[in-house]
Amino acid sequence: MLQPPRQSLQAAPSVPVPRAAAREDEEGPWHSEAVCRRDEAGLFFAPSKEPTAARLSREQAAKRVCARCPVMIECREHALVLPEPYGVWGGLTAAERRVALARRRRREAAVAAGEAGQVSRIA
């Protein structure tokens, strides 16, 4: 049985890599064009025990930033595919993304059922 090569402890970097650099590599080139990179992350993610009125206001402010972003669609699709459980991504809150995903699943199921029905009528 093949075993993965062992890495020496000395090869590991002694200085942690900044989170932003790791996220850029993970999320792809669209992320570097995102308008939100220049904004405070607190605008897009809720602090703990945030009052409802403050949350709604913060989310609307985040959505305004998203509305002028050139990669809003790519960001939204990333958040739907992954799926991102928290924050405002691509102009959608976590709750809005759950609704969009449920709609997408229903639509895909309907298409699959329609295709299965067409196959059975042909056969």
Side-chain angles (χ1 to χ4, degrees), residues 48-109:
S48 62
K49 299 180 183 178
E50 181 179 35
T52 301
R55 177 181 55 81
L56 293 173
S57 176
R58 179 188 51 73
E59 288 174 346
Q60 287 305 314
K63 287 179 178 188
R64 284 192 297 274
V65 172
C66 291
R68 68 177 200 267
C69 184
V71 293
M72 182 181 77
I73 301 300
E74 292 88 342
C75 178
R76 179 178 294 174
E77 191 59 24
H78 161 85
L80 290 169
V81 169
L82 203 53
E84 289 286 353
Y86 306 106
V88 175
W89 289 79
L92 297 178
T93 64
E96 292 166 336
R97 288 192 304 277
R98 285 190 295 273
V99 170
L101 280 171
R103 286 181 183 156
R104 182 180 281 186
R105 287 184 191 118
R106 282 194 302 271
R107 191 170 45 247
E108 289 170 353

